Amino acid sequence: MLNLTKSAEAFAEAKTLMPGGVNSPVRSYANVDCNPPFISHAKGSKIYDIDGNEYIDYVLSWGPMVVGHAHPAVVKALQEAAERGTSYGAPTLLESELAKLVMSVYPSIEVIRMVNSGTEATMSALRLARGYTHRDKIVKFIGCYHGHSDSLLVKAGSGLATFGVPDSPGVTKGVAADTITVPYNDIDAITRVMDEHGDEIAAIIVEPVAGNMGLVLPKQGYLAKLRELTEKHGTLLIFDEVMCGFRASLGGAQAAYGITPDLTCLGKIIGGGLPVAAYGGRRDIMNCVAPAGPVYQAGTLSGNPLAMTAGIETLKIITAEPEPGEPDYSRKLTLQTKKLVLGFERLAKENGVAVQVHQAGSMFGMFFNENDVYDYATSAASDQQKFKVWFKTMLENGIYLAPSQFETIFMSGAHTDDDIDKTLAAAEKAFAAVAKASK
Ligand SMILES: *Cc1c(COP(=O)(O)O)cnc(C)c1O
């Protein structure tokens, strides 16, 4: 049995200090009816709690730690950068270096603006789209998460496509009314919305590979249809690749599916574990951002030298030319992830547990569900009880997964074959526990 005594005490105190004891909701483990381990440190593929437990980490800070924790090259560069001062609020060569590294794998990004979080990137991209098109309405898809800015905390009422209602107290009806929500992967629904309202819509924002309702892949032809509809109506297409960027493929979902968006939001990996995100795209659109243009957006710590350094070092590692005959970094991650996918599918079958397993590059998701999962409704129909048993058994056996099947899990370059074997050994026990609990 896992000993989490110190973590439990720490959590009790934290609850008196922060809402729910945490600074971001999913960390509280409320979904899985247990206390979260409090983390002391992490190295490579492993994460350690204050009770002395070691886990193989597939959360990876919700995606960013693609080269593993405390990678020596990243740590060294950060130490040297800290000696030179931690923030100047003035231009540096580091910002241009990170910009050029990003553009080398995202040719759709001609001009980029660095910000501090994915929330800021999507919020700013939408303001820009509205400023550029002189239109107010936006479309988002149910189950896609784009951070917590007001316009995007909106869900549909009943009906196929409706004007939005707020998803959180504090979001005004007025803001929500400009957000139209549509089911993901439903070509008829988005075609109808665009036929009726297309000429009033500034932008369609989408996770081109959706990772916030579990991992849900776009159906064949779906992203191409979004590109076609937006072009027809003079609406901008925004790919929110904050999660799938550098993961669905090195060049993100846009490279994997061959679709060029007008604007792209990046985050998570781009900062290598420090708070960085960015939005960028077509030069004529981006040049509407202040001070080049009239759409205002700013940030005291944007382009921060430590944050840029972590991003640069991480992107250098993942974009490096491979040794002759070796697969490149993201191909290696994809192959490692595939081993988990195949292993989980085999073990689930052997134990008679119905699952849907999805993979996109180094992203991985599993639903306890007998049926196909392709949108929010089908994802939400997955079995929560089975997930809880699975999650707890994995944790007790040293595997640190996201505490919800509506989160994606991730592979890093630090995960070894031995890690994967240990993970599959734990999964064997976990599927057996799920099978037993469902009898
Ligand atoms: C994580 C995420 C965000 C929000 O980024 P934060 O840095 O948490 O604000 C936005 N969009 C997507 C697709 C994400 O996965």
Side-chain angles (χ1 to χ4, degrees):
M1 221 21 215
L2 200 56
N3 183 350
L4 286 172
T5 315
K6 286 185 185 161
S7 291
E9 283 167 17
F11 193 44
E13 184 191 29
K15 280 186 188 166
T16 69
L17 303 170
M18 289 162 278
V22 291
N23 283 311
S24 198
V26 71
R27 297 177 197 170
S28 73
Y29 276 39
N31 275 338
V32 284
D33 310 330
C34 63
N35 287 336
F38 269 51
I39 303 306
S40 62
H41 64 290
K43 175 74 186 163
S45 60
K46 310 290 191 322
I47 193 162
Y48 302 84
D49 67 24
I50 60 174
D51 290 284
N53 299 300
E54 174 188 294
Y55 311 90
I56 302 171
D57 182 15
Y58 293 98
V59 179
L60 295 173
S61 189
W62 309 93
M65 311 315 299
V66 66
V67 299
H69 293 284
H71 188 287
V74 180
V75 171
K76 181 164 178 284
L78 278 173
Q79 283 168 340
E80 290 169 5
E83 295 284 347
R84 293 188 294 268
T86 52
S87 190
Y88 324 120
T92 61
L93 293 171
L94 296 168
E95 295 161 88
S96 301
E97 191 179 350
L98 184 56
K100 284 188 278 186
L101 265 173
V102 171
M103 289 170 187
S104 72
V105 280
Y106 287 82
S108 75
I109 301 183
E110 297 171 339
V111 176
I112 193 166
R113 170 59 64 83
M114 303 293 172
V115 295
N116 307 289
S117 70
T119 296
E120 228 186 300
T122 55
M123 178 186 81
S124 307
L126 284 182
R127 181 184 307 136
L128 172 59
R130 286 169 162 152
Y132 177 84
T133 59
H134 303 285
R135 299 173 179 180
D136 289 345
K137 295 199 187 308
I138 57 157
V139 169
K140 83 171 281 285
F141 297 96
I142 300 165
C144 283
Y145 177 68
H146 305 291
H148 60 87
S149 75
D150 285 359
S151 305
L152 292 164
L153 277 187
V154 170
K155 68 178 171 197
S158 52
L160 256 189
T162 52
F163 285 89
V165 296
D167 204 10
S168 163
V171 175
T172 66
K173 290 196 194 79
V175 168
D178 280 332
T179 302
I180 301 172
T181 56
V182 184
Y184 192 75
N185 263 333
D186 183 339
I187 286 186
D188 290 343
I190 186 63
T191 304
R192 222 173 308 140
V193 164
M194 291 305 282
D195 283 348
E196 275 175 41
H197 304 286
D199 298 344
E200 304 161 60
I201 295 171
I204 292 182
I205 186 166
V206 63
E207 282 184 81
V209 165
N212 287 288
M213 47 178 147
L215 180 62
V216 174
L217 306 182
K219 286 184 180 165
Q220 177 83 24
Y222 185 62
L223 298 173
K225 187 70 186 179
L226 298 184
R227 186 62 284 188
E228 178 197 315
L229 289 168
T230 45
E231 258 164 19
K232 181 173 165 198
H233 292 279
T235 298
L236 299 187
L237 181 60
I238 304 174
F239 273 9
D240 178 356
E241 300 221 37
V242 168
M243 184 188 288
C244 62
F246 308 100
R247 281 210 179 268
S249 78
L250 183 60
Q254 50 197 274
Y257 291 90
I259 305 292
T260 306
D262 300 299
L263 294 174
T264 298
C265 298
L266 294 171
K268 300 197 165 105
I269 282 180
I270 196 186
L274 269 77
V276 185
Y279 64 106
R282 263 169 50 194
R283 185 173 300 278
D284 63 318
I285 304 172
M286 287 303 293
N287 279 342
C288 294
V289 177
V295 176
Y296 196 70
Q297 187 268 310
T300 301
L301 292 175
S302 296
N304 171 274
L306 281 192
M308 294 294 102
T309 298
I312 289 166
E313 291 305 318
T314 300
L315 292 198
K316 271 191 198 159
I317 295 166
I318 65 174
T319 58
E321 280 292 323
E323 297 291 318
E326 285 281 303
D328 63 26
Y329 203 90
S330 55
R331 181 82 196 132
K332 269 188 223 162
L333 292 182
T334 301
L335 294 172
Q336 289 296 68
T337 310
K338 190 83 197 166
K339 290 179 193 164
L340 278 190
V341 170
L342 295 175
F344 283 10
E345 279 177 341
R346 175 177 56 80
L347 293 167
K349 202 165 176 189
E350 284 171 11
N351 284 283
V353 177
V355 292
Q356 305 294 323
V357 187
H358 294 172
Q359 179 186 2
S362 60
M363 303 164 74
F364 175 91
M366 185 170 75
F367 301 94
F368 289 94
N369 200 319
E370 282 167 21
N371 304 308
D372 283 350
V373 173
Y374 52 85
D375 64 3
Y376 182 74
T378 49
S379 164
S382 303
D383 192 313
Q384 294 280 30
Q385 286 313 319
K386 286 183 182 157
F387 176 80
K388 277 185 203 175
V389 174
W390 156 262
F391 172 82
K392 283 187 189 170
T393 315
M394 290 297 270
L395 191 72
E396 278 171 13
N397 286 280
I399 311 298
Y400 190 80
L401 301 172
S404 160
Q405 65 190 315
F406 308 119
E407 301 286 351
T408 295
I409 64 172
F410 305 99
M411 184 63 71
S412 89
H415 286 75
T416 61
D417 285 341
D418 183 52
D419 289 331
I420 295 194
D421 290 344
K422 285 186 177 138
T423 306
L424 292 177
E428 192 160 5
K429 294 184 196 161
F431 279 120
V434 171
K436 198 171 158 212
S438 16
K439 278 207 183 102

